Structure formats: structure tokens, C-alpha cells
Amino acid sequence: MPSKSPGNGLGKPASFFARHNAIVYLAFVLTVILFSIVLGPKFLSLNNVLNITRQTAMISIMAVGMTFVIGAAQIDLSIGSITAFSALLAAMLINATGSIAVGVVGGVGFGAVVGAVNGYLVTWAGIPAFLVTLGTMSIVRGGAMWITNMAAVPIQNKTFNFYFGTGDLFRIPILLYWTVLFAVLGYFLLNHLPFGRKVLATGGNVTAARFTGINTDAIKVKVMLMCGALAGMAGVLYAGRMQAGRYTYGTGDEMSVIAAVILGGTSMAGGNGTIVGSIMGLLLMGVINNGLVLGGLSVAQQSIVRGAIIIIATAIGSRSNQRTK
């Protein structure tokens, strides 16, 4: 059996213009053209384009973390529930202390702790990541419902709401700046630092990675911690955008994030990853969701389309992985 090429699982990021990446770029362009024809000028209006960036900002940040997790051949289903709890925790801390820093650190720190717990359960207890994070997803979501008795926690701090959600700088949404910041940091970490190569080497062939001296268990814990922390940050931004914490935030986001990462070119089997592709996959899904809403489709019909996208993404990822074996 031929070995994988260097760009497909042996510790190197996927090429920026790899064939799989080109698919999502082409799909994005064709989707924009289709909706522009069907929906008319309102779809390409500046307000609608900026609205898409606001809608996709939080899950784009989560997608950065998920790229590292899937690149290491793991999975994290708990990110949606982490965003909800982190948003509530940030809201309660800001209201109790009046400190934005305490709220942000609390929300992000909670996500990091849950991510670290996920990682240690995967490595030390030997439980598959799917089962571990499925369990923590339920625990954390239940905790978010319990601590406030399912009530929302409004945030009156206007400075927090502006800089972490509702504000615009130079007519560009604050949320877009946060998205770009974490995307750039994730790209640099994955493509230009040894940690990124170790992550992909761990996902590509864990045995070979160990023989080269990589502590693969530590890598798995770190990527799970990172993913949890970024989910916590997404929760903080959810709270800022909606000016409140709610237990419903992030519901279903884990599926959208995973689908976007796979659509963007990261293999479910691990060993490769592309931050740019993941963001493009997320933007594609955001454009589709926005177009469906503008087109007047019901919530049920939108759910059907999203489910179909997840299946297509998984199928494309599976076929791509088979070609590299």
C-alpha cells in the first residue's frame, strides 16, 4: 500500500490550493452567484454581508480549534454546550464584579478546563474522544440550564457589549476583528510552528509520531484544551452580541463546525488540516443559511438542508481520505 504524501497526514498542513480546498472555494463562488440571481440585490447588500460575518463569527472561532482537534484525529462534541455555559458564566461574573476582564477570563478559562478534562479522559482513561465529549456535552449543557434555572442573564455593561459583540470599528463589526485575529493565530500556529507539525503527525500516524519523540498524549490534551478555550471565547462573544447569557447558545454548533472543517479540507481521519479551508467552509455554510432565511424557508426546511450539508461534507472528507491511502 503506498504511503501518504507529505501534505496528507505526516505532519504538514494541507496545501492552500489543494484539490479538496478548491472544491469549497468553487462551491462558495457558485453559491454566492446562485443566491445573487435568485434573491436579487438584497443578498449582496453591505448590510447583509456584514450580517453574515456576525452570524458566523463565533462558530468560525470554534472551527479554528476544531481544525487542530480533527487534525490530531480526535473529535469534540462538547463545544456547543461550552459556549452556553461560558456565556452564562461571563455574564454572571461581569454583573457580580463589574470587571470585564474577570468575565472574559472566567468564560475562556471554563472552556479550557473542560477541554483539558476531555483530553485527560481520552489519554489517561483511554476513552474515545467521541464518547468523552458526548458525555461532557450533556453534563455542561445540563449545568448551564441548572445554574440559572434556564433563565437568561442580561448584561448591562455597555463597554463589554460593544467590544465583544455589538460594536463596529470603522464600519466593520467588532466580531469580524475577533474572527480574523484567531484565524491568523491559528494559521500561524498550524503552519509555521513545530506544534502544528506535531499535531498533524499525531493525527497522521500516532505510532510513528511517538517513535520520532513526540509526546502524542500531551498533544491530544493540548488540542482539546485549545478547542475548549476557543469555545469559551465564542461563548463570551455570544454573550456580548446578544447582551446576555443563555443556556441555548451553541445548540447544534458542534455539527456546523465539524461539517465546515471537513468541507474545508481537513480529513476526519486526521493527519492534515487547513485553517483557511475551515473558515471558507464555515463561510459557505453561513452564506447558505443566510440565503435560506432570506428565501423564506421554514426552520424545518433549513434543518433539512443543514443535515444534507453535513452528510455531503462527511462523504467528501471520506473520499478524500481514501485517495490518500
Side-chain angles (χ1 to χ4, degrees):
M1 182 179 294
S3 61
K4 291 182 181 181
S5 64
N8 291 311
L10 295 179
K12 292 185 179 180
S15 169
F16 189 92
F17 288 108
R19 181 170 65 175
H20 187 91
N21 293 12
I23 294 174
V24 73
Y25 302 144
L26 178 61
F28 179 81
V29 172
L30 293 177
T31 300
V32 170
I33 292 174
L34 175 63
F35 280 138
S36 300
I37 294 173
V38 174
L39 300 174
K42 64 179 180 180
F43 176 73
L44 286 180
S45 67
L46 179 60
N47 286 339
N48 190 53
V49 171
L50 294 179
N51 193 40
I52 292 174
T53 66
R54 295 185 183 97
Q55 292 169 346
T56 59
M58 283 71 76
I59 47 181
S60 293
I61 291 171
M62 286 188 273
V64 173
M66 188 65 75
T67 302
F68 283 86
V69 168
I70 295 180
Q74 303 301 307
I75 196 74
D76 190 345
L77 300 179
S78 65
I79 55 173
S81 58
I82 289 173
T83 62
F85 200 107
S86 294
L88 284 168
L89 183 59
M92 290 188 294
L93 289 173
I94 290 171
N95 290 342
T97 67
S99 171
I100 294 175
V102 170
V104 173
V105 171
V108 175
F110 173 79
V113 169
V114 175
V117 170
N118 286 338
Y120 281 116
L121 288 173
V122 168
T123 55
W124 286 7
I127 307 173
F130 178 88
L131 296 178
V132 168
T133 58
L134 184 64
T136 51
M137 175 180 71
S138 181
I139 292 170
V140 174
R141 180 73 67 183
M145 298 168 69
W146 179 52
I147 61 173
T148 60
N149 197 26
M150 296 188 289
V153 180
I155 302 174
Q156 303 299 328
N157 190 309
K158 294 182 179 180
T159 302
F160 171 80
N161 292 334
F162 181 90
Y163 285 105
F164 289 87
T166 60
D168 290 345
L169 284 179
F170 308 109
R171 302 183 65 183
I172 298 174
I174 289 283
L175 291 173
L176 182 56
Y177 290 100
W178 285 112
T179 301
V180 172
L181 172 64
F182 286 105
V184 170
L185 291 175
Y187 177 84
F188 182 78
L189 184 60
L190 185 65
N191 290 268
H192 298 291
L193 290 181
F195 177 72
R197 293 191 291 273
K198 291 177 181 179
V199 168
L200 301 182
T202 298
N205 189 323
V206 67
T207 302
R210 286 172 182 159
F211 276 118
T212 63
I214 297 174
N215 187 337
T216 56
D217 283 350
I219 291 296
K220 292 176 185 178
V221 172
K222 288 176 182 178
V223 296
M224 299 296 277
L225 185 154
M226 180 191 306
C227 193
L230 289 176
M233 185 65 199
V236 171
L237 297 178
Y238 264 119
R241 184 188 178 206
M242 306 307 294
Q243 303 178 52
R246 288 184 176 85
Y247 76 92
T248 55
Y249 293 162
T251 302
D253 279 0
E254 60 279 344
M255 292 295 102
S256 296
V257 170
I258 292 169
V261 171
I262 303 306
L263 274 172
T266 301
S267 170
M268 280 292 290
N272 72 350
T274 161
I275 298 297
V276 176
S278 295
I279 298 299
M280 283 301 303
L282 216 297
L283 286 175
L284 173 60
M285 296 188 66
V287 167
I288 292 173
N289 286 336
N290 179 266
L292 295 178
V293 171
L294 291 180
L297 271 71
S298 68
V299 174
Q301 291 169 325
Q302 294 174 42
S303 179
I304 291 172
V305 173
R306 281 193 292 270
I309 292 172
I310 291 171
I311 293 174
I312 293 170
T314 305
I316 292 173
S318 177
R319 291 291 297 173
S320 177
N321 182 55
Q322 289 174 12
R323 293 191 189 102
T324 62
K325 290 183 176 181

